[in-house]
Amino acid sequence: MIDYDFIIVGSGAGGLSAALHASEHGNVAIITKRGTLDSNSNWAQGGIACVTSEEDSIEQHVSDTLIAGAGLCNEAAVRTIVTEGPDRIAELVKWGVDFDQREASDGHLEFDLTREGGHSQRRVLHAADATGRELTEKLLAAVRERPNITIYENHFAIDLITTAKLGFVTEDRVLGLYVLNESTHEVETFRSDRIVLSTGGCGRVYLYTTNPRVATGDGVAMAWRAGASIANMEFIQFHPTCLYHPQKRSFLITEAMRGEGARLIDNKGNEFMHKYDPRGSLAPRDIVARAIDSEIKRTGGPCVYLDISHRPAEFILSHFPNIYKACLEVDIDITKQSIPVVPAAHYQCGGVVTDVNGATRIRGLCAVGEVGCTGLHGANRLASNSLLECLVISHRAVDHMLRKMPIGKEAEQTYTLPPWQSGEAVDNDELVVIYHNWDEIRRLMWDYVSILRTTKRLQRAAARLRNLKREVQEFYWNFRITSELLELRNLVETASLIVECAIRRHESRGLHFTLDYPEKDLVREPADTVVRRY
């Protein structure tokens, strides 16, 4: 049994910042199923939305967030996260994060802020078009300097261990987790009273996504199996502009490009967004994604186009160097040509239900970042609010756990966790079945549960997912576990939660648009779609 004061599952921005804060109070383990930099955070291009300009205000940022959230945001959570953002930005600068700056009119340097869809002001801090990489690399460098933080790469968290699972008649609290060491192929038992899930989202549930390979809904599935509540999983954000090219299927074209004047056009070069929203190409993502989907179906073409070639080449190269390089690799010169784009699954606005401290209904278990549902995003996330949430909630989560579960209590030493039991499981010699099921889940989710939905499509998805869950469960109990099997198990669980939440919402709101209920339900107060295990 491997014992730590804090265990962080995931190595994105939320996990790394939580580890840094926790290391000031005790020893910390970071468990990540691949390499440390394999995360959604590391892929983030746009930036961090935060009020740092005198021309901006907390009230404006709060208002923009509430409008984007389509009536489902928790205003208290929004206000807390937006208000505490500047302190977390100052902390990032202290840790060496190098945001782009410019010379102000009086000669001093200030943040070079950009604007994205749904924002009324320029408030997005960025490091060119690779903000996530700059952020995670600097956080990781700070983590490696802390001797009391241990990083376990290629360790796959299987399941949480709680008092309820062990049969104790007491308040349900987290005690540890089982982890597959992919180097030894053995399952190890980790013990802690304070566990932070920072596992990111579930974009790989869909056939087309901007997310990295690791985004398979692991944290949501683990928390659900442990008894945590899940909410608002029907609100999957489809990023409007993913590069349409067979060699770069998951390459995102940041929304900041539209903030700097890029225009969405059809195959004849005509702008079309003003037909759908007076804000044009800077409308919130749900509106833009549906508009693109509609244009593709109307014209019969495979994509639409994003054009920034009217801006000076020097400007494009300085602001979007990585996008320029990536597009040039597939023979698209964005200083002269438009970029073919399509929507793709990007971000889950729902997740494990938490308060504004990241605390779940299981004592000692917190969820931070995309895996959690604080109420910040409501029915549609405002661009670049995600990294802000990671930083604020990770800090608050550690403080909360220290208050509720002080380090050094004698009670912490009273639980001995049982080792993992493999029983009569044998090695699996039919990996093709796992790969087939993986592909089937992603295709049915894209066909039945994507940008436009119907009740019939959702019911078909639910029926097939029930069968797939039975098949996967049989595999799980009969064969020795592998990372491929664990990801499939989490994928089918998360997909089922998305479909269940979508079936329960009899209206169209934010990112959830159904042809059977095309209007908002204005009779009842909007409410979260909460799913609980009993």
Side-chain angles (χ1 to χ4, degrees), residues 77-339:
V78 172
R79 195 167 295 279
T80 297
I81 293 167
V82 168
T83 301
E84 295 182 8
D87 288 341
R88 303 284 72 83
I89 294 298
E91 195 169 50
L92 291 180
V93 173
K94 182 187 72 175
W95 285 329
V97 176
D98 187 17
F99 293 111
D100 286 359
Q101 295 183 310
R102 66 176 184 178
E103 186 175 322
S105 57
D106 60 3
H108 79 278
L109 289 176
E110 62 182 14
F111 290 127
D112 180 27
L113 303 175
T114 191
R115 183 182 172 191
E116 296 181 347
H119 290 275
S120 59
Q121 296 288 342
R122 285 181 172 268
R123 66 168 64 99
V124 179
L125 296 90
H126 60 97
D129 58 351
T131 308
R133 187 170 65 204
E134 168 69 13
L135 175 63
T136 52
E137 285 180 352
K138 294 297 173 60
L139 289 176
L140 181 58
V143 161
R144 294 195 188 282
E145 292 178 356
R146 304 286 176 94
N148 60 337
I149 300 179
T150 305
I151 300 174
Y152 291 86
E153 292 186 304
N154 299 307
H155 279 64
F156 200 124
I158 304 169
D159 268 321
L160 294 160
I161 306 169
T162 65
T163 50
K165 282 189 174 184
L166 296 183
F168 292 105
V169 183
T170 181
E171 176 189 18
D172 196 13
R173 55 181 280 195
V174 72
L175 298 176
L177 67 165
Y178 294 117
V179 178
L180 174 65
N181 182 336
E182 296 201 54
S183 299
T184 64
H185 305 291
E186 298 295 328
V187 176
E188 300 168 346
T189 306
F190 281 74
R191 166 82 178 96
S192 181
D193 289 294
R194 301 162 208 87
I195 295 179
V196 176
L197 295 177
S198 182
T199 53
C202 63
R204 287 287 162 176
V205 165
Y206 286 92
L207 187 61
Y208 302 108
T209 178
T210 64
N211 289 183
R213 176 68 172 73
V214 296
T216 51
D218 303 322
V220 166
M222 272 196 299
W224 171 251
R225 290 192 293 266
S229 298
I230 308 297
N232 293 353
M233 290 296 290
E234 70 270 37
F235 299 120
I236 299 294
Q237 188 174 76
F238 289 80
H239 198 289
T241 53
C242 181
L243 177 64
Y244 178 73
H245 196 280
Q247 294 179 27
K248 290 186 180 291
R249 285 177 173 265
S250 298
F251 190 76
L252 174 72
I253 307 297
T254 176
E255 189 163 335
M257 186 171 281
R258 281 180 281 135
E260 296 297 342
R263 303 170 300 178
L264 282 163
I265 58 176
D266 60 23
N267 56 4
K268 296 181 179 179
N270 299 315
E271 292 188 56
F272 57 83
M273 273 307 305
H274 286 289
K275 294 189 298 182
Y276 299 92
D277 193 279
R279 289 164 290 188
S281 294
L282 280 176
R285 290 177 178 177
D286 60 323
I287 296 171
V288 180
R290 284 198 296 273
I292 294 174
D293 183 73
S294 177
E295 285 294 308
I296 288 173
K297 289 173 178 172
R298 181 184 67 82
T299 63
C303 62
V304 296
Y305 299 86
L306 186 67
D307 183 46
I308 197 171
S309 61
H310 57 282
R311 298 299 304 266
E314 296 78 11
F315 176 88
I316 296 171
L317 291 173
S318 64
H319 280 70
F320 308 108
N322 293 288
I323 295 176
Y324 173 79
K325 179 182 176 183
C327 289
L328 205 59
E329 290 173 356
V330 292
D331 299 322
I332 300 170
D333 183 348
I334 67 173
T335 66
K336 302 174 183 177
Q337 300 168 271
S338 55
I339 308 167

Side-chain angles (χ1 to χ4, degrees), residues 220 223-224 227-234 351-353 361 493 496-505 528-534:
V220 166
W224 171 251
S229 298
I230 308 297
N232 293 353
M233 290 296 290
E234 70 270 37
V352 184
V353 176
R361 68 198 298 244
E493 193 79 82
S496 299
L497 289 167
I498 293 170
V499 172
E500 182 172 350
C501 287
I503 288 174
R504 292 186 181 199
R505 185 165 293 281
D528 292 334
T529 310
V530 181
V531 185
R532 295 186 177 92
R533 295 187 71 140
Y534 296 99

Side-chain angles (χ1 to χ4, degrees), residues 497-531:
L497 289 167
I498 293 170
V499 172
E500 182 172 350
C501 287
I503 288 174
R504 292 186 181 199
R505 185 165 293 281
H506 293 173
E507 64 167 346
S508 289
R509 182 179 295 272
L511 300 165
H512 174 71
F513 191 89
T514 168
L515 297 177
D516 292 303
Y517 304 96
E519 303 296 330
K520 287 182 182 178
D521 184 349
L522 301 178
V523 177
R524 293 172 295 180
E525 285 292 315
D528 292 334
T529 310
V530 181
V531 185

Side-chain angles (χ1 to χ4, degrees), residues 422 424-428 471-481 485:
S422 294
E424 299 179 358
V426 298
D427 290 331
N428 179 17
E471 292 178 25
V472 172
Q473 192 72 348
E474 182 180 345
F475 263 74
Y476 178 74
W477 287 112
N478 292 338
F479 297 103
R480 295 190 191 279
I481 57 171
L485 178 54

Side-chain angles (χ1 to χ4, degrees), residues 35-46:
T36 316
L37 290 176
D38 289 321
S39 68
N40 277 356
S41 296
N42 192 44
W43 281 36
Q45 292 180 2

